[in-house]
Amino acid sequence: MSCGQRPVGSVLWAESCGQRPVGRVLWAASCGQSPVTTDEGPEHDQHCTVQQQMRLPQCEDCSACSQVPQGMHFSPSATLQDVLDYLTDSASLQMKSPAITTTLDGKNKTLYLQTVASIEERTRPNLSKTLKELGLVDGQELAVADVTTPQTVIFKLSFT
């Protein structure tokens, strides 16, 4: 796995009394870096299971690991549908049903959310509006939530 895929904070390795590993082994993306063993030694439980936890390093620029805003470049005349297409079609993002929100005049505004039918119906007209018509400006932050990411991804809009 590489950056952009689901990271997990620790790895659990279980091994039973010298036999092959049993139970679960949790593994996750570590942004192309190797996991780092913690200072804590392995623990043994009453079933002779050995557990070792490892920290997974995080990349500052990884959209799945980080809350550092990611760049997003569009023309002010691009529509919200163009943004949605970028989020779903981009090889590095591959979102399934992104929910897009922002802050306008100090208030949170849902620009598009398709997973709740009543909200999708109310926000669908936004898809044909330009970014300028939606009141978005250069430098605007868009918060995008999707089932493919463990946390909301923040994008900083740059007009081209």
Side-chain angles (χ1 to χ4, degrees):
M1 291 185 159
S2 61
C3 268
Q5 295 179 334
R6 294 176 187 240
V8 173
S10 66
V11 175
L12 174 66
W13 177 263
E15 184 175 295
S16 178
C17 297
Q19 298 174 359
R20 293 179 155 233
V22 296
R24 312 184 296 196
V25 175
L26 302 176
W27 188 252
S30 60
C31 298
Q33 300 174 24
S34 299
V36 179
T37 304
T38 63
D39 291 335
E40 302 165 10
E43 297 177 12
H44 301 268
D45 66 12
Q46 71 272 18
H47 303 292
C48 194
T49 301
V50 179
Q51 296 180 351
Q52 177 71 46
Q53 287 195 343
M54 301 172 154
R55 272 185 302 111
L56 295 175
Q58 293 183 340
C59 298
E60 264 189 41
D61 62 345
C62 177
S63 62
C65 298
S66 172
Q67 283 296 278
V68 174
Q70 306 295 308
M72 179 185 279
H73 305 279
F74 282 96
S75 163
S77 62
T79 65
L80 189 61
Q81 181 67 57
D82 295 329
V83 174
L84 185 69
D85 291 344
Y86 167 75
L87 296 169
T88 57
D89 297 343
S90 168
S92 63
L93 298 172
Q94 299 180 1
M95 294 185 173
K96 293 185 185 293
S97 54
I100 307 169
T101 62
T102 194
T103 303
L104 290 172
D105 300 322
K107 296 180 183 177
N108 288 336
K109 180 176 180 178
T110 301
L111 299 174
Y112 187 67
L113 189 146
Q114 66 188 78
T115 56
V116 178
S118 61
I119 297 174
E120 195 279 335
E121 187 177 321
R122 287 197 317 258
T123 59
R124 188 180 315 135
N126 289 342
L127 292 175
S128 61
K129 293 181 181 178
T130 68
L131 301 180
K132 187 175 180 179
E133 289 172 335
L134 290 168
L136 303 180
V137 296
D138 188 55
Q140 182 93 38
E141 288 190 354
L142 302 178
V144 180
D146 189 67
V147 297
T148 61
T149 57
Q151 61 188 1
T152 301
V153 180
I154 307 299
F155 290 93
K156 189 168 188 171
L157 186 61
S158 294
F159 285 155
T160 55

